[in-house]
Amino acid sequence: MSNRKARMLADRHLRDSARALVEADIENLKVGFNQKSLGERAFDRVREGAIDVYEEAVDVAENNKGALAALLAAVIVWFARNPLLSLLGLGEEEEDEESLSDDE
């Protein structure tokens, strides 16, 4: 068999194999589309994305525990700022505001 003929047969076999793979992929896509609606596929994609984001957040939190603790402390202090300022005597006086509204 000549070199050209052997190469032609090899190329034809490669082409036929590639075509069979493409046809199999098309059939798999058709089956996938028939089994799930567009909404279900969108929900699955969003869920997978949320899982990826959650896993990334857990990794970042594990690597930065000090920064996470500081952020949590800052949030707690922010929500407790009014009682803390009142304890230090720096808070706004509610009585003055009430007396002003009574005078009017």
Side-chain angles (χ1 to χ4, degrees):
M1 191 180 320
S2 70
N3 189 20
R4 287 178 111 182
K5 189 171 184 177
R7 183 175 170 131
M8 184 184 71
L9 289 174
D11 288 345
R12 183 177 291 159
H13 178 68
L14 184 62
R15 182 201 65 194
D16 292 342
S17 297
R19 183 178 179 114
L21 286 174
V22 169
E23 288 174 354
D25 285 344
I26 290 172
E27 284 302 314
N28 285 336
L29 285 172
K30 286 180 181 178
V31 169
F33 283 126
N34 289 337
Q35 288 179 350
K36 289 185 177 182
S37 69
L38 181 62
E40 289 172 336
R41 286 193 304 275
F43 179 74
D44 287 344
R45 184 170 288 192
V46 168
R47 187 184 70 222
E48 290 170 4
I51 289 171
D52 291 343
V53 168
Y54 173 75
E55 289 172 353
E56 182 68 24
V58 168
D59 290 342
V60 169
E62 287 175 353
N63 294 335
N64 300 305
K65 288 183 180 180
L68 185 61
L71 178 64
L72 184 61
V75 168
I76 291 171
V77 169
W78 174 257
F79 284 115
R81 70 186 181 279
N82 290 331
L84 291 174
L85 289 173
S86 295
L87 286 174
L88 297 173
L90 301 173
E92 295 181 12
E93 298 284 335
E94 291 182 21
E95 295 171 6
D96 292 340
E97 292 176 8
E98 289 177 11
S99 64
L100 290 174
S101 64
D102 290 339
D103 292 337
E104 293 177 7

